Amino acid sequence: MAFQKGKIAFGIKRYFELLGIYARMDLASLMRDGKFTALVILSDIVSNISSVSGVFLLAWKFGGIGGMDRFEVLFMLAYGNIVMGFLNMIGGCNAIFPSRIIGRGQWEHMFIMPLPYGVQLTVGIFPFTGSSSFLSGVGILWVAVCHMEMALPWWWLFMLILQLLISMVIVTAFSYLFSSLAFYAPVQCEEIASTVVYSMEHTRSFPLTGMPVYIRYPLLTIFPAGLMAWFPTMILLGKTAAFETFYPAVFAVMISLTAGYFFRKGFRYYVKKGINRYVAGGHRS
Amino acid sequence: MAVQDKTSGGVLYLLPDMIVKVIYLVPVMFIWRALAESGYEMEMSASQLLSYTYVNALLADLTVVSTCLSAWNYDTKSMEMFTRPMPVFGQVIARTMGEWVPTLLLFSLPMFLAAPLLGIGVMPESLWAIPSLVLSVSLGFAFEFLFYCVTVRLRNVSWLTYVIRSAVTSFFSGTVIPFQILPFGMDRWIRYQPFGSLGGAFLSLYVGSGEAARIIPVQLFWNVVIWIAASVWFRKSRERMVSFGG
């Protein structure tokens, strides 16, 4: 029993050591020269401003969009930035885009590593080079909250964190669900996860309030971009019915179970068939 | 060859990209409709906004050009071009135009024919839209070479270049949100920056919200400037190119 406890404690300690190693490598990569650092910071600033500016400028001009006022739209845009920013930060080594790992034949590299798959996928963090979207999202969210007239109860912050986590689970599960296809068609589906996630990222910035149900429902079920920012925002702003509050959590559980089932199924197929994607020169075929 | 390369896995594999385009298109069009119905005075009519977004989705590959130079160097596509007895510029342009064909035939054409059924006007308001599209595509290629030089100079940090390029072009090209409806009178200056002569310039002529006499000279000017910059910088940068495999 004591041996088991020691083993678990060592595992946790080792996990955080690996996180620290990746964090140091990320910092070293950022600081390798001044010009590079300046360019990364500049590109991140431009990228983050661009990602929210279009829709927010529209909201500003028209005093809001589809029943949401200017700062509610800004809140929604910031929420989406936090979701994607955090996923980019912790899933930087393609953990959020597993079809790339599979399609590039790198899943096989993971077989020989003396670490569980979950650890290999989650320790590759980019806390410095990948944090700009997350930090800018937090900043913009703060600005939006300060300008909203709603009185926030004490538990609102916990609700915000919970909704953010649920949104992240949905995006990750959706990515893994589609990545299962890469086990069967590695070349064609190498970028399927990025296609799906980036499409959700682009679509998340549209306020769906006031859109007809035949647009809104598919974006909350079949292609759940609405659960990345719009619907959680409506929950956090108290604009949904009580029973709707639980919908994102229920959806997250269902999509996770489905993704888990199909990913394992694909993996079993892959173990039998394998992959051969590299030519002698080291380049991909 | 480019068409074969694009469809070698089967035409079915082009389907996800097309579905994604439609998924992106629908909410934007409903936003325009909602804004138009809200009674605000806009510089563009609802039908112009709908056509703008719809045509952009059909011609997305052309309004903001993306070539294999934007991809990372792991697949040697850019390196291979230096080993052939042909100009690199010509190869990139020919290859990219070839890659457009499957999407134009299988997505753009059917969507173009279906547009009247959806109540969207897709016929150009001015024939000046044709030379404007040519200039827009030409400028897109020039930017590709320019950004490729940035990648080479930054020692292959393709991802960083890609992020800068995508972020800048998504907003400053005016393909997603037309300049005319931006607040604070931004359209007075934003249309004159170089990215403004990409797809946004063509689309505003296409739907009749811009004047050819104002748009075409600006497009010509930026074509000359950016092509000269791209050619000179490409000549100076190409020998620094490295590829590590991947």
Side-chain angles (χ1 to χ4, degrees):
Chain A
M1 192 69 172
F3 175 72
Q4 278 295 331
K5 274 186 184 170
K7 214 172 157 186
I8 292 167
F10 175 77
I12 294 169
K13 183 171 166 273
R14 183 68 188 140
Y15 185 81
F16 281 99
E17 279 172 358
L18 287 168
L19 285 176
I21 290 168
Y22 270 96
R24 279 200 300 278
M25 286 196 296
D26 186 41
L27 184 63
S29 129
L30 183 69
M31 304 302 285
R32 62 184 174 181
D33 70 43
K35 189 172 75 175
F36 180 76
T37 307
L39 273 165
V40 169
I41 293 168
L42 178 73
S43 71
D44 279 346
I45 291 169
V46 172
S47 169
N48 286 309
I49 291 172
S50 295
S51 70
V52 299
S53 55
V55 173
F56 183 60
L57 285 170
L58 275 185
W60 189 270
K61 177 160 181 171
F62 299 106
I65 301 174
M68 295 174 83
D69 72 28
R70 289 167 181 166
F71 288 102
E72 287 172 350
V73 171
L74 189 65
F75 181 94
M76 185 195 74
L77 295 168
Y79 182 99
N81 261 23
I82 294 174
V83 170
M84 271 321 290
F86 193 78
L87 287 175
N88 282 332
M89 202 164 67
I90 62 163
C93 286
N94 284 336
I96 187 70
F97 305 123
S99 66
R100 282 184 181 160
I101 302 175
I102 302 160
R104 294 171 187 177
Q106 293 162 351
W107 199 266
E108 286 168 8
H109 303 180
M110 293 169 71
F111 292 180
I112 57 167
M113 296 283 279
L115 287 168
Y117 293 130
V119 174
Q120 290 187 51
L121 287 169
T122 52
V123 292
I125 55 169
F126 287 161
F128 299 102
T129 55
S131 61
S132 68
S133 185
F134 174 73
L135 295 176
S136 67
V138 172
I140 297 169
L141 191 95
W142 178 253
V143 172
V145 169
C146 289
H147 284 85
M148 287 195 303
E149 288 168 6
M150 198 176 82
L152 303 174
W154 64 269
W155 45 264
W156 189 84
L157 184 65
F158 298 102
M159 187 69 165
L160 170 67
I161 294 168
L162 182 67
Q163 289 297 338
L164 285 167
L165 287 173
I166 291 170
S167 296
M168 289 173 203
V169 167
I170 290 170
V171 177
T172 309
F174 209 61
S175 174
Y176 274 74
L177 179 63
F178 276 86
S179 292
S180 311
L181 292 170
F183 286 124
Y184 302 95
V187 179
Q188 293 83 355
C189 295
E190 179 185 329
E191 286 298 336
I192 196 164
S194 58
T195 303
V196 167
V197 173
Y198 291 146
S199 303
M200 285 176 81
E201 196 180 355
H202 290 311
T203 317
R204 71 157 199 235
S205 53
F206 302 124
L208 304 182
T209 322
M211 286 197 189
V213 288
Y214 58 86
I215 302 295
R216 221 181 323 153
Y217 285 0
L219 287 171
L220 293 173
T221 50
I222 303 162
F223 188 76
L227 293 175
M228 253 181 107
W230 173 73
F231 199 73
T233 300
M234 300 306 280
I235 291 172
L236 292 163
L237 297 177
K239 292 188 173 187
T240 52
F243 72 94
E244 289 175 330
T245 311
F246 300 102
Y247 174 67
V250 172
F251 187 85
V253 171
M254 283 168 62
I255 191 86
S256 301
L257 291 173
T258 312
Y261 171 77
F262 282 106
F263 201 79
R264 282 196 188 92
K265 197 175 174 204
F267 187 30
R268 282 195 290 273
Y269 175 87
Y270 181 82
V271 166
K272 288 177 198 156
K273 300 283 177 182
I275 185 176
N276 183 9
R277 278 218 61 190
Y278 286 86
V279 292
H283 292 284
R284 228 166 287 161
S285 61
Chain B
M1 275 168 64
V3 174
Q4 274 182 344
D5 188 35
K6 192 88 176 168
T7 56
S8 59
V11 173
L12 204 62
Y13 287 102
L14 295 172
L15 201 61
D17 266 348
M18 295 175 193
I19 294 170
V20 161
K21 277 183 185 175
V22 173
I23 288 170
Y24 183 71
L25 179 67
V26 174
V28 186
M29 297 186 68
F30 271 91
I31 284 183
W32 297 147
R33 207 158 263 174
L35 288 176
E37 286 167 3
S38 62
Y40 287 106
E41 277 194 24
M42 286 197 287
E43 291 75 2
M44 289 172 76
S45 67
S47 61
Q48 279 179 322
L49 282 168
L50 292 175
S51 302
Y52 193 100
T53 302
Y54 196 84
V55 173
N56 180 48
L58 303 195
L59 302 176
D61 290 340
L62 283 71
T63 51
V64 176
V65 175
S66 177
T67 71
C68 59
L69 295 179
S70 292
W72 303 4
N73 272 330
Y74 55 59
D75 50 11
T76 69
K77 278 178 189 164
S78 52
M79 216 168 77
E80 279 169 7
M81 284 183 286
F82 287 88
T83 62
R84 297 189 189 121
M86 287 172 72
V88 175
F89 282 20
Q91 288 184 64
V92 171
I93 292 168
R95 182 194 187 109
T96 308
M97 288 180 141
E99 285 174 351
W100 292 341
V101 175
T103 308
L104 287 174
L105 286 177
L106 300 171
F107 174 74
S108 307
L109 184 62
M111 289 286 281
F112 184 86
L113 296 173
L117 303 174
L118 303 169
I120 297 164
V122 283
M123 295 311 287
E125 288 293 320
S126 161
L127 285 177
W128 283 106
I130 297 165
S132 178
L133 178 62
V134 174
L135 288 168
S136 162
V137 169
S138 161
L139 187 62
F141 278 116
F143 273 123
E144 277 291 294
F145 285 105
L146 209 57
F147 276 104
Y148 182 64
C149 297
V150 175
T151 309
V152 171
R153 294 281 172 159
L154 289 177
R155 286 172 261 160
N156 261 8
V157 281
S158 317
W159 173 247
L160 181 66
T161 318
Y162 175 78
V163 169
I164 300 173
R165 187 182 174 283
S166 305
V168 168
T169 50
S170 69
F171 180 71
F172 289 97
S173 68
T175 48
V176 180
I177 295 171
F179 295 145
Q180 286 92 334
I181 62 165
L182 289 176
F184 314 122
M186 284 171 74
D187 65 312
R188 283 198 293 273
W189 60 269
I190 204 166
R191 65 170 76 131
Y192 295 113
Q193 46 82 30
F195 297 100
S197 290
L198 288 170
F202 152 71
L203 290 166
S204 59
L205 274 177
Y206 198 96
V207 302
S209 64
E211 301 147 26
R214 189 171 46 76
I215 289 170
I216 301 280
V218 179
Q219 282 191 301
L220 276 170
F221 171 78
W222 283 120
N223 260 279
V224 172
V225 172
I226 303 295
W227 265 115
I228 291 172
S231 307
V232 171
W233 207 22
F234 186 77
R235 196 163 296 127
K236 287 185 177 174
S237 303
R238 61 186 173 184
E239 288 188 12
R240 294 186 183 209
M241 202 199 82
V242 285
S243 180
F244 299 113

